[in-house]
Short mmCIF file of all heavy atoms in Angstrom, two decimals:
data_model
loop_
_atom_site.label_atom_id
_atom_site.label_comp_id
_atom_site.label_asym_id
_atom_site.label_seq_id
_atom_site.Cartn_x
_atom_site.Cartn_y
_atom_site.Cartn_z
N ILE I 75 -33.78 17.19 56.83
CA ILE I 75 -34.98 16.85 57.66
C ILE I 75 -36.20 17.04 56.76
O ILE I 75 -36.43 18.09 56.23
CB ILE I 75 -35.07 17.87 58.88
CG1 ILE I 75 -33.80 17.77 59.73
CG2 ILE I 75 -36.34 17.57 59.70
CD1 ILE I 75 -33.79 18.70 60.96
N LEU I 76 -36.89 15.91 56.54
CA LEU I 76 -38.04 15.89 55.62
C LEU I 76 -39.17 16.74 56.29
O LEU I 76 -39.35 16.61 57.50
CB LEU I 76 -38.48 14.48 55.36
CG LEU I 76 -37.42 13.47 54.87
CD1 LEU I 76 -38.02 12.11 54.55
CD2 LEU I 76 -36.66 14.03 53.65
N ARG I 77 -40.00 17.27 55.40
CA ARG I 77 -39.83 17.43 53.97
C ARG I 77 -38.99 18.56 53.54
O ARG I 77 -38.21 18.40 52.53
CB ARG I 77 -41.27 17.75 53.41
CG ARG I 77 -42.27 16.69 53.37
CD ARG I 77 -43.59 17.27 52.86
NE ARG I 77 -44.01 18.37 53.61
CZ ARG I 77 -44.99 19.28 53.18
NH1 ARG I 77 -45.52 19.12 52.03
NH2 ARG I 77 -45.34 20.25 53.96
N ALA I 78 -39.04 19.69 54.26
CA ALA I 78 -38.46 20.88 53.61
C ALA I 78 -37.01 20.82 53.35
O ALA I 78 -36.47 21.44 52.42
CB ALA I 78 -38.82 22.08 54.56
N GLY I 79 -36.31 20.01 54.18
CA GLY I 79 -34.82 19.85 53.98
C GLY I 79 -34.48 19.34 52.58
O GLY I 79 -33.38 19.57 52.02
N MET I 100 -39.51 14.35 59.88
CA MET I 100 -39.91 14.95 61.14
C MET I 100 -41.03 15.92 60.84
O MET I 100 -40.98 16.65 59.86
CB MET I 100 -38.71 15.77 61.61
CG MET I 100 -38.67 16.09 63.06
SD MET I 100 -38.03 14.78 64.02
CE MET I 100 -36.34 15.00 63.86
N TYR I 101 -42.09 15.88 61.65
CA TYR I 101 -43.14 16.96 61.43
C TYR I 101 -43.45 17.56 62.77
O TYR I 101 -43.34 16.93 63.77
CB TYR I 101 -44.42 16.42 60.73
CG TYR I 101 -45.28 15.55 61.63
CD1 TYR I 101 -46.28 16.07 62.43
CD2 TYR I 101 -45.03 14.14 61.66
CE1 TYR I 101 -47.03 15.22 63.20
CE2 TYR I 101 -45.77 13.34 62.50
CZ TYR I 101 -46.76 13.85 63.34
OH TYR I 101 -47.44 13.10 64.12
N ARG I 102 -43.85 18.84 62.80
CA ARG I 102 -44.24 19.55 64.03
C ARG I 102 -45.70 19.40 64.24
O ARG I 102 -46.48 19.71 63.35
CB ARG I 102 -43.96 21.04 63.80
CG ARG I 102 -42.62 21.52 64.06
CD ARG I 102 -42.48 23.01 64.29
NE ARG I 102 -43.36 23.95 63.57
CZ ARG I 102 -43.36 25.21 63.75
NH1 ARG I 102 -42.60 25.74 64.68
NH2 ARG I 102 -44.19 25.94 63.09
N ASP I 103 -46.09 19.03 65.41
CA ASP I 103 -47.48 19.05 65.81
C ASP I 103 -47.97 20.50 65.80
O ASP I 103 -47.30 21.34 66.41
CB ASP I 103 -47.68 18.41 67.18
CG ASP I 103 -49.13 18.36 67.57
OD1 ASP I 103 -49.72 19.44 67.80
OD2 ASP I 103 -49.65 17.29 67.69
N LEU I 107 -46.37 22.15 68.85
CA LEU I 107 -45.13 22.48 68.16
C LEU I 107 -44.01 21.44 68.44
O LEU I 107 -42.85 21.71 68.16
CB LEU I 107 -44.61 23.91 68.49
CG LEU I 107 -45.57 25.09 68.13
CD1 LEU I 107 -45.02 26.42 68.48
CD2 LEU I 107 -45.94 25.06 66.64
N PRO I 109 -41.77 18.15 67.83
CA PRO I 109 -41.45 17.33 66.62
C PRO I 109 -41.68 15.88 66.83
O PRO I 109 -41.68 15.30 67.94
CB PRO I 109 -39.87 17.56 66.60
CG PRO I 109 -39.48 17.78 67.93
CD PRO I 109 -40.66 18.45 68.65
N TYR I 112 -40.80 10.32 61.88
CA TYR I 112 -41.51 9.16 61.22
C TYR I 112 -40.68 8.43 60.23
O TYR I 112 -41.11 7.44 59.69
CB TYR I 112 -42.77 9.77 60.51
CG TYR I 112 -42.47 10.81 59.49
CD1 TYR I 112 -42.19 10.48 58.12
CD2 TYR I 112 -42.51 12.16 59.77
CE1 TYR I 112 -41.94 11.47 57.17
CE2 TYR I 112 -42.28 13.18 58.81
CZ TYR I 112 -42.00 12.77 57.57
OH TYR I 112 -41.74 13.79 56.57
N ASP I 131 -32.13 21.90 56.94
CA ASP I 131 -33.57 22.23 57.06
C ASP I 131 -33.66 23.72 56.87
O ASP I 131 -33.00 24.45 57.57
CB ASP I 131 -34.03 21.79 58.43
CG ASP I 131 -35.57 21.89 58.60
OD1 ASP I 131 -36.18 22.72 57.86
OD2 ASP I 131 -36.14 21.12 59.37
N PRO I 132 -34.49 24.17 55.92
CA PRO I 132 -34.54 25.63 55.71
C PRO I 132 -34.92 26.43 56.90
O PRO I 132 -34.50 27.59 57.03
CB PRO I 132 -35.59 25.74 54.57
CG PRO I 132 -35.69 24.46 53.93
CD PRO I 132 -35.37 23.40 54.99
N MET I 133 -35.77 25.86 57.82
CA MET I 133 -36.28 26.68 58.91
C MET I 133 -35.79 26.17 60.29
O MET I 133 -36.02 25.00 60.59
CB MET I 133 -37.82 26.62 58.80
CG MET I 133 -38.41 26.93 57.47
SD MET I 133 -37.85 28.47 56.78
CE MET I 133 -38.93 29.60 57.62
N LEU I 134 -35.29 27.06 61.09
CA LEU I 134 -34.96 26.73 62.50
C LEU I 134 -35.92 27.69 63.26
O LEU I 134 -35.62 28.85 63.42
CB LEU I 134 -33.51 27.09 62.78
CG LEU I 134 -33.02 26.84 64.23
CD1 LEU I 134 -33.14 25.33 64.63
CD2 LEU I 134 -31.62 27.39 64.41
N ALA I 135 -37.09 27.12 63.71
CA ALA I 135 -38.03 27.96 64.41
C ALA I 135 -37.96 27.88 65.89
O ALA I 135 -37.19 28.55 66.51
CB ALA I 135 -39.44 27.60 63.86
N THR I 136 -38.66 26.89 66.52
CA THR I 136 -38.47 26.71 67.94
C THR I 136 -37.20 25.98 68.21
O THR I 136 -36.67 26.02 69.35
CB THR I 136 -39.63 25.85 68.60
OG1 THR I 136 -39.53 24.51 68.01
CG2 THR I 136 -41.01 26.42 68.31
N GLY I 137 -36.72 25.33 67.21
CA GLY I 137 -35.48 24.46 67.37
C GLY I 137 -35.73 23.00 67.72
O GLY I 137 -34.85 22.20 67.66
N GLY I 138 -37.06 22.67 67.93
CA GLY I 138 -37.39 21.35 68.38
C GLY I 138 -37.00 20.28 67.33
O GLY I 138 -36.42 19.27 67.73
N SER I 139 -37.28 20.52 66.05
CA SER I 139 -36.93 19.56 65.06
C SER I 139 -35.51 19.29 64.92
O SER I 139 -34.98 18.16 64.79
CB SER I 139 -37.53 19.94 63.63
OG SER I 139 -38.94 20.22 63.81
N ALA I 140 -34.71 20.41 64.89
CA ALA I 140 -33.28 20.34 64.77
C ALA I 140 -32.65 19.53 65.93
O ALA I 140 -31.83 18.66 65.73
CB ALA I 140 -32.65 21.68 64.62
N GLY I 166 -34.90 29.59 68.20
CA GLY I 166 -34.36 28.31 67.76
C GLY I 166 -32.84 28.22 67.93
O GLY I 166 -32.31 27.16 68.31
N LEU I 188 -40.35 34.61 66.74
CA LEU I 188 -41.46 33.61 66.36
C LEU I 188 -42.74 34.35 66.68
O LEU I 188 -42.80 35.17 67.60
CB LEU I 188 -41.36 32.37 67.23
CG LEU I 188 -40.25 31.42 66.98
CD1 LEU I 188 -40.36 30.21 67.92
CD2 LEU I 188 -40.23 30.92 65.53
N GLY I 192 -45.83 29.95 66.32
CA GLY I 192 -44.59 29.31 66.09
C GLY I 192 -44.04 29.51 64.67
O GLY I 192 -43.11 28.78 64.24
N TYR I 193 -44.50 30.52 63.89
CA TYR I 193 -43.89 30.86 62.62
C TYR I 193 -42.86 31.96 62.73
O TYR I 193 -43.04 32.80 63.62
CB TYR I 193 -44.98 31.22 61.59
CG TYR I 193 -45.58 29.98 60.96
CD1 TYR I 193 -46.63 29.27 61.65
CD2 TYR I 193 -45.16 29.47 59.72
CE1 TYR I 193 -47.14 28.11 61.11
CE2 TYR I 193 -45.67 28.31 59.20
CZ TYR I 193 -46.66 27.59 59.90
OH TYR I 193 -47.17 26.49 59.39
N ASP I 200 -44.82 28.67 55.46
CA ASP I 200 -44.56 27.24 55.64
C ASP I 200 -43.67 26.75 54.47
O ASP I 200 -44.19 26.66 53.33
CB ASP I 200 -45.92 26.44 55.70
CG ASP I 200 -45.67 25.00 56.05
OD1 ASP I 200 -44.82 24.32 55.38
OD2 ASP I 200 -46.27 24.53 57.08
N CYS I 201 -42.47 26.42 54.82
CA CYS I 201 -41.44 26.21 53.76
C CYS I 201 -41.81 24.85 53.00
O CYS I 201 -41.76 24.86 51.76
CB CYS I 201 -40.09 26.07 54.39
SG CYS I 201 -38.84 26.16 53.16
N GLY I 202 -42.20 23.80 53.73
CA GLY I 202 -42.54 22.58 53.09
C GLY I 202 -43.70 22.73 52.06
O GLY I 202 -43.65 22.28 50.92
N ASP I 203 -44.72 23.44 52.50
CA ASP I 203 -45.89 23.66 51.63
C ASP I 203 -45.47 24.49 50.40
O ASP I 203 -45.92 24.26 49.30
CB ASP I 203 -46.99 24.35 52.38
CG ASP I 203 -47.78 23.41 53.32
OD1 ASP I 203 -47.68 22.20 53.08
OD2 ASP I 203 -48.39 23.93 54.24
C1 PRP K 1 -40.92 22.75 59.39
C2 PRP K 1 -39.46 22.96 58.97
C3 PRP K 1 -38.69 22.37 60.17
C4 PRP K 1 -39.59 22.72 61.33
C5 PRP K 1 -38.98 23.85 62.08
O1 PRP K 1 -41.23 21.44 59.16
O2 PRP K 1 -39.11 22.43 57.77
O3 PRP K 1 -38.46 21.03 60.04
O4 PRP K 1 -40.85 23.07 60.77
O5 PRP K 1 -39.77 24.09 63.25
P1 PRP K 1 -39.20 23.89 64.73
O6 PRP K 1 -37.81 24.55 64.71
O7 PRP K 1 -40.18 24.66 65.55
O8 PRP K 1 -39.15 22.44 65.01
P2 PRP K 1 -42.76 20.90 59.22
O9 PRP K 1 -42.98 20.33 60.63
O10 PRP K 1 -43.69 21.97 58.86
O11 PRP K 1 -42.76 19.73 58.30
P3 PRP K 1 -42.60 19.71 56.61
O12 PRP K 1 -41.19 20.03 56.37
O13 PRP K 1 -42.98 18.31 56.29
O14 PRP K 1 -43.55 20.76 56.16
#
Side-chain angles (χ1 to χ4, degrees):
I75 301 179
L76 308 182
R77 288 175 305 164
M100 203 81 84
Y101 72 90
R102 278 198 322 176
D103 181 293
L107 300 182
Y112 58 87
D131 189 330
M133 311 305 279
L134 178 66
T136 64
S139 304
L188 292 180
Y193 277 82
D200 189 305
C201 195
D203 285 338

